[in-house]
């Protein structure tokens, strides 16, 4: 049996700020229990829910050198959904109202976490064959494994995998500070290792030293080898291209299931959605104070409101979109200008636009279930989970062809009768707008075709099962 350790800064249900947590919390459940012993190590944040903190059991503690300091490392554990989770405890680092704060604090916090996670392994008696690291917060683990840890027999044969969930975030800080914090020798701080443009870069260290690299969709794996998407690491991605593979994230098909979802008004499935799905639309129109009409074309948006997600395109066309017989339901928080843009149009067109500037899991399920189309015009999108959820709920995605959106949404082809959604290629506001208008015309004039699109969307399989098979293949190869 192969032993695999996931190390990450977040994981559902314990702590979540984005898609990374879904992967770390869900993927281990779907790997074969006969073939793999998969365990997860996370930080024990003070901002975790009280009931989850109380479910943790004390295992042990020790003191560890970090740079020139000696730091307390507590280890706690729990079993959740059949998976063994460990937590690294140190209130100096993991206090605070949210998991991430100022980058200069996070740099030291995750250097501590990376070293503590490895140092805890002999204490808990778990010797993984593979350490699977996620994002820049764990980028030092492959470096540490090739440094002092390599000298001990316990760590000598461990392999590491670095998974990029979003290349934009790299953990960059002043080189002398990082040398001081990590205690790593000068040898590691050269342009072919951790140094990048005069600073130390955690993610780069992980990408240089890990034995295999993955990212969260095949198209994104190709895109990050180019200057536009490569975030100044495209040269490194090209150099390690033979070690890099793209594996699309899955979603938990038990949690996101319109047939059993307790958060939506009317449950439905692929057989009865023609009658039942619309009840969710009427209920949401009523709840949000929109004009109640089951024939109105309703577009959903559940997202962080940032440039990356294409909100400058939406901003540019919003007035014209409000002139159409459409309704737009937005849910999420982010940059103030986009929050205010939605608030403004909701004030100006109260029967057409609903601005929900907060995040709620329950409301997101209602949006996925109620809307006819789901808009995701991202500038770049490593994988994207929202379009997978909307497919699952028979809400047709309208996306830009980038990263995981291109890999998971097949554009409608009216001549061949194929496709699961609608897409446009160029990052252009009018191209987005024309694609929405085209989707609307199919919705109004070719209702039978629209329903067939929903049939195919709901039949698409983006459960974790398919992704887990690819990860299993990677672990065996490594």
């Amino acid at each position: 049996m192969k032993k695999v350790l996931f190390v990450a800064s977040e994981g559902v249900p314990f702590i979540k700020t984005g898609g990374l947590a879904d992967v770390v919390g869900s993927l281990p459940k779907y790997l074969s229990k006969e073939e793999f012993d998969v365990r997860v190590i996370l930080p024990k944040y003070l901002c975790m829910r009280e009931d989850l903190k109380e479910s943790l059991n004390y295992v042990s503690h020790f003191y560890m050198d970090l740079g020139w300091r000696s730091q307390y490392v507590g280890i706690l554990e729990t079993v959740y959904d059949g998976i063994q989770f460990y937590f690294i405890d140190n209130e100096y680092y993991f206090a605070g109202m949210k998991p991430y704060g100022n980058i200069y604090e996070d740099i030291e916090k995750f250097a501590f976490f990376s070293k503590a996670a490895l140092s805890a392994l002999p204490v808990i008696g778990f010797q993984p064959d593979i350490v699977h690291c996620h994002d820049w917060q764990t980028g030092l683990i492959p470096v540490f494994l090739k440094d002092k840890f390599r000298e001990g027999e316990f760590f000598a044969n461990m392999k590491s995998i670095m998974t990029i969930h979003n290349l934009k975030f790299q953990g960059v800080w002043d080189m002398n500070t990082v040398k001081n914090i990590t205690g790593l020798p000068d040898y590691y701080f050269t342009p072919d290792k951790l140094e990048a443009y005069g600073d130390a870069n955690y993610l780069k260290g992980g990408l240089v030293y890990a034995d295999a690299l993955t990212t969260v969709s095949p198209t994104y794996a190709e895109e990050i080898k180019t200057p536009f998407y490569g975030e100044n690491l495209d040269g490194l991605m090209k150099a390690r291209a033979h070690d890099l593979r793209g594996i699309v994230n899955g979603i938990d098909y038990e949690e996101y299931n319109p047939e059993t979802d307790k958060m939506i008004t009317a449950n439905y499935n692929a057989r009865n959605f023609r009658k039942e799905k619309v009840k969710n639309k009427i209920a949401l129109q009523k709840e949000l104070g929109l004009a109640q009409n089951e024939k109105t074309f309703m577009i959903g948006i559940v997202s962080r409101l940032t440039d990356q997600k294409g909100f400058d395109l939406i901003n540019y066309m919003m007035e014209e979109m409000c002139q159409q017989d459409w309704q737009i339901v937005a849910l999420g928080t982010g940059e103030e200008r986009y929050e205010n843009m939605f608030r403004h149009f909701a004030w100006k067109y109260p029967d057409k636009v609903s601005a929900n500037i907060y995040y709620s899991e329950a409301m997101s399920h209602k949006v996925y279930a109620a809307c006819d189309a789901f808009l995701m015009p991202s500038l770049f999108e490593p994988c994207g989970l929202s379009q997978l959820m909307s497919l699952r709920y028979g809400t047709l995605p309208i996306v830009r062809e980038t990263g995981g959106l291109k890999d998971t949404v097949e554009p409608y082809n009216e001549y061949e009768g194929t496709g699961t959604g609608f897409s446009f290629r160029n990052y252009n506001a009018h191209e987005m707008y024309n694609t929405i208008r085209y989707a609307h015309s199919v919705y109004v004039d070719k209702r039978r075709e629209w329903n067939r699109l929903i049939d195919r969307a709901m039949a698409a399989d983006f459960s974790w099962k398919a992704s887990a098979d690819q990860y299993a293949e990677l672990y065996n190869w490594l």
Side-chain angles (χ1 to χ4, degrees):
M1 180 180 276
K2 294 180 188 65
K3 297 177 184 169
V4 181
L5 178 74
F6 278 52
V7 191
S9 58
E10 56 183 89
V12 292
F14 301 99
I15 194 83
K16 174 178 175 174
T17 67
L20 162 64
D22 292 302
V23 178
V24 173
S26 304
L27 176 56
K29 289 190 289 193
Y30 290 89
L31 288 158
S32 159
K33 301 274 187 292
E34 283 74 57
E35 210 180 337
F36 299 102
D37 178 0
V38 185
R39 306 187 192 182
V40 183
I41 290 193
L42 302 170
K44 179 184 175 280
Y45 298 107
L46 273 183
C47 59
M48 278 162 48
R49 273 194 355 237
E50 278 308 314
D51 58 320
L52 291 170
K53 282 194 289 193
E54 282 164 17
S55 71
L56 308 183
N57 302 307
Y58 170 82
V59 177
S60 184
H61 75 272
F62 59 92
Y63 285 83
M64 173 188 83
D65 289 337
L66 184 70
W68 48 271
R69 296 172 294 292
S70 180
Q71 298 285 20
Y72 170 85
V73 181
I75 309 171
L76 296 96
E77 68 174 355
T78 189
V79 175
Y80 186 87
D81 259 3
I83 300 298
Q84 176 79 47
F85 284 86
Y86 298 102
F87 293 82
I88 299 296
D89 182 27
N90 180 309
E91 291 192 359
Y92 171 72
Y93 288 117
F94 302 129
M97 303 300 289
K98 47 187 198 288
Y100 313 122
N102 299 314
I103 181 69
Y104 60 85
E105 293 168 338
D106 287 351
I107 284 289
E108 184 172 338
K109 176 196 297 185
F110 290 111
F112 165 80
F113 173 63
S114 296
K115 193 169 184 184
L118 289 176
S119 302
L121 293 175
V123 182
I124 59 178
F126 184 61
Q127 187 178 19
D129 301 295
I130 293 169
V131 183
H132 191 160
C133 311
H134 297 265
D135 270 356
W136 75 262
Q137 290 90 346
T138 57
L140 287 177
I141 288 179
V143 185
F144 285 142
L145 275 174
K146 294 283 195 286
D147 187 50
K148 284 274 185 282
F149 284 90
R150 178 62 74 229
E151 295 165 10
E153 209 173 287
F154 186 88
F155 295 95
N157 297 315
M158 278 184 204
K159 295 278 206 297
S160 62
I161 295 171
M162 192 80 222
T163 293
I164 306 162
H165 295 267
N166 190 337
L167 192 62
K168 195 173 179 66
F169 305 107
Q170 298 178 6
V172 176
W173 198 246
D174 164 67
M175 197 144 56
N176 287 329
T177 309
V178 173
K179 279 183 194 176
N180 180 20
I181 290 169
T182 59
L184 287 167
D186 289 353
Y187 165 80
Y188 289 97
F189 295 90
T190 55
D192 60 333
K193 300 182 184 75
L194 268 84
E195 189 269 336
Y197 303 95
D199 287 317
N201 184 318
Y202 279 30
L203 182 65
K204 184 181 177 189
L207 296 175
V208 169
Y209 281 100
D211 298 293
L213 312 179
T214 76
T215 189
V216 287
S217 69
T219 296
Y220 191 62
E222 292 305 312
E223 286 175 343
I224 57 179
K225 296 174 197 167
T226 66
F228 183 79
Y229 293 99
E231 302 290 349
N232 292 327
L233 293 179
D234 48 292
L236 174 58
M237 301 323 303
K238 283 205 286 279
R240 294 219 59 188
H242 62 294
D243 299 317
L244 171 69
R245 51 179 90 186
I247 301 174
V248 171
N249 285 338
I251 56 171
D252 192 327
Y253 267 34
E254 288 160 25
E255 188 183 341
Y256 296 98
N257 183 353
E259 199 164 15
T260 57
D261 193 334
K262 294 201 170 38
M263 299 183 200
I264 64 177
T265 305
N267 291 115
Y268 60 95
N269 56 33
R271 291 183 304 284
N272 66 13
F273 72 83
R274 289 165 179 78
K275 284 199 188 70
E276 298 299 316
K277 188 176 187 331
V278 73
K279 293 175 184 172
N280 292 294
K281 183 197 279 191
I282 295 295
L284 192 63
Q285 288 171 333
K286 199 170 178 178
E287 182 179 343
L288 300 178
L290 297 169
Q292 287 175 50
N293 181 349
E294 65 178 59
K295 290 194 162 59
T296 303
F297 186 57
M298 188 190 263
I299 301 166
I301 297 168
V302 178
S303 179
R304 279 183 295 130
L305 308 179
T306 63
D307 281 341
Q308 180 207 325
K309 301 293 186 180
F311 283 97
D312 49 341
L313 304 188
I314 294 172
N315 189 18
Y316 194 77
M317 299 309 298
M318 194 69 180
E319 182 65 54
E320 278 179 66
M321 287 161 70
C322 291
Q323 301 308 314
Q324 303 292 328
D325 181 25
W326 303 342
Q327 286 177 341
I328 298 164
V329 178
L331 171 68
T333 60
E335 290 176 31
E336 201 174 325
R337 58 186 166 145
Y338 297 133
E339 292 184 352
N340 289 338
M341 179 264 291
F342 281 116
R343 287 188 184 109
H344 169 75
F345 284 102
W347 163 79
K348 191 173 178 182
Y349 302 101
D351 55 342
K352 288 186 171 181
V353 180
S354 174
N356 305 279
I357 309 302
Y358 58 88
Y359 185 71
S360 148
E361 196 72 26
M363 179 55 81
S364 74
H365 283 241
K366 288 178 188 176
V367 174
Y368 292 125
C371 292
D372 300 297
F374 189 87
L375 183 58
M376 250 180 120
S378 302
L379 174 63
F380 66 97
E381 194 64 66
C383 177
L385 297 174
S386 296
Q387 83 280 11
L388 304 182
M389 294 163 193
S390 66
L391 287 166
R392 177 79 167 140
Y393 283 78
T395 296
L396 301 182
I398 300 171
V399 302
R400 189 174 95 78
E401 293 171 14
T402 183
L405 299 178
K406 187 177 179 185
D407 291 327
T408 55
V409 179
E410 185 190 348
Y412 172 53
N413 182 324
E414 61 184 277
Y415 305 104
E416 295 180 4
T418 56
T420 55
F422 299 85
S423 68
F424 60 100
R425 183 149 190 202
N426 297 304
Y427 192 71
N428 177 293
H430 286 91
E431 207 168 312
M432 174 194 76
Y433 177 64
N434 290 335
T435 305
I436 302 171
R437 285 189 59 179
Y438 175 53
H440 178 239
S441 72
V442 177
Y443 173 79
V444 173
D445 301 329
K446 300 182 179 172
R447 205 46 192 268
R448 186 170 283 177
E449 278 296 298
W450 183 269
N451 286 336
R452 285 191 185 127
L453 270 159
I454 295 178
D455 285 333
R456 292 191 292 273
M458 292 183 78
D461 181 9
F462 291 105
S463 64
W464 271 114
K465 179 80 192 78
S467 312
D469 291 345
Q470 293 182 61
Y471 278 108
E473 193 273 315
L474 168 66
Y475 296 153
N476 288 323
W477 169 79
L478 197 54

